[in-house]
Amino acid sequence: MDGNGRWAQARRLPRVAGHRAGAGAVRRCIQAAIGSGVEWLTLYAFSSENWRRPVQEVGELTGLLRHYLRHELAELHREGVCLRVIGERERFDAEMRAEFERAERLTAGNTRLKLMIALSYGGRSDILRASLRLAEAVRVGAVDPERLDEAGFARFLSTDGIPDPDLMVRTSGEFRLSNFLLWQSAYAELVFLDVLWPDFGATHFADALDRYARRDRRFGARPG
Ligand code: FPP
């Protein structure tokens, strides 16, 4: 979800105004996913690297997320959304972690849309942390490294139980993954849209799905 800052700058507004408008685009994106029958949606809302932004912006972003979880949870629950937070959740304060747990507990049984919000998420950090957990599992004899395969490794990632993404969309005209789902995106189709995230809406969502539908996915196999 890239381009909040530029959206605000173009309007001579503070960056937080872009993030607030970005929260509106989050709502539109979730509605579009539900409307088009998408079952799994992951939103990259805060990266491990975003902690390096000015303290004020970090505070505004976490405040916005807290507000979103508090005030929109009931609506998400009504819509049948199952919410899960992925990322380094221990880097957030106890109050925020309690919000994550409350949201996950309330929506755990919902099946219409599985919504993952990536918070303090970094692909490299996810792989490193999975490796450390795996090393511990090997040490205590819970895993036999000789028998470990890719699916076995993936169980230690924060996305355990979540299918790999078929489609990855980045807004704002940048052509980068920026440390998002590095392991999981091995065969994802990439779509880069020239729209700033706060302007993202149903037509952009449909455009991304349409581009995806025209791709020929071979997963490394020979053309048939
Ligand atoms: C990237 O734009 C966006 C972020 C770092 C924050 C994303 C957060 C939201 C969309 C708001 C709330 C989210 C939820 C789930 C309610 P940028 O600030 O890097 O923009 P720039 O590249 O134009 O400076």
Side-chain angles (χ1 to χ4, degrees):
M1 301 190 285
D2 196 17
N4 294 352
R6 277 163 282 170
W7 184 93
Q9 196 179 19
R11 289 162 180 76
R12 298 177 188 280
L13 294 169
R15 290 179 64 82
V16 68
H19 296 316
R20 278 195 209 110
V26 165
R27 288 179 207 110
R28 294 193 292 276
C29 182
I30 292 171
Q31 286 311 315
I34 291 173
S36 48
V38 166
E39 288 175 89
W40 300 82
L41 174 70
T42 305
L43 299 174
Y44 199 7
F46 193 89
S47 74
S48 307
E49 292 72 31
N50 284 156
W51 292 110
R52 293 192 214 127
R53 292 196 177 191
V55 179
Q56 186 186 340
E57 187 174 351
V58 169
E60 286 164 348
L61 265 172
T62 50
L64 195 58
L65 286 163
R66 186 182 298 116
H67 183 272
Y68 181 82
L69 288 174
R70 280 194 190 148
H71 297 274
E72 311 218 2
L73 187 63
E75 178 61 21
L76 290 174
H77 185 44
R78 254 195 308 278
E79 295 268 10
V81 174
C82 171
L83 196 139
R84 176 167 155 188
V85 171
I86 60 167
E88 307 153 332
R89 59 169 76 201
E90 75 287 350
R91 292 183 74 178
F92 291 92
D93 63 26
E95 193 193 340
M96 195 74 171
R97 293 200 304 272
E99 294 292 344
F100 300 160
E101 277 150 33
R102 193 171 71 89
E104 289 175 336
R105 222 177 307 116
L106 177 72
T107 64
N110 295 338
T111 54
R112 197 162 173 212
L113 174 71
K114 303 273 181 14
L115 173 67
M116 282 68 67
I117 304 189
L119 293 175
S120 189
Y121 181 85
R124 288 183 174 181
S125 159
D126 200 6
I127 294 168
L128 175 62
R129 290 150 64 95
S131 307
L132 294 173
R133 283 195 288 268
L134 170 63
E136 178 61 11
V138 170
R139 193 185 69 78
V140 300
V143 168
D144 174 2
E146 302 283 327
R147 297 167 68 94
L148 186 75
D149 58 10
E150 291 177 4
F153 180 82
R155 279 200 285 276
F156 291 88
L157 293 164
S158 68
T159 47
D160 178 33
I162 300 169
D164 287 344
D166 292 308
L167 167 64
M168 198 180 277
V169 182
R170 183 185 183 130
T171 57
S172 92
E174 307 280 2
F175 300 95
R176 286 191 294 277
L177 295 187
S178 294
N179 207 8
F180 190 45
L181 299 178
L182 296 182
W183 169 283
Q184 300 86 342
S185 64
Y187 283 100
E189 293 296 328
L190 307 181
V191 167
F192 298 97
L193 298 179
D194 199 9
V195 58
L196 300 176
W197 177 253
D199 292 326
F200 184 91
T203 53
H204 303 101
F205 195 93
D207 179 25
L209 287 190
D210 189 48
R211 293 194 206 194
Y212 171 78
R214 284 184 270 122
R215 300 277 172 89
D216 178 19
R217 303 188 78 198
R218 293 191 295 275
F219 299 94
R222 277 190 301 135

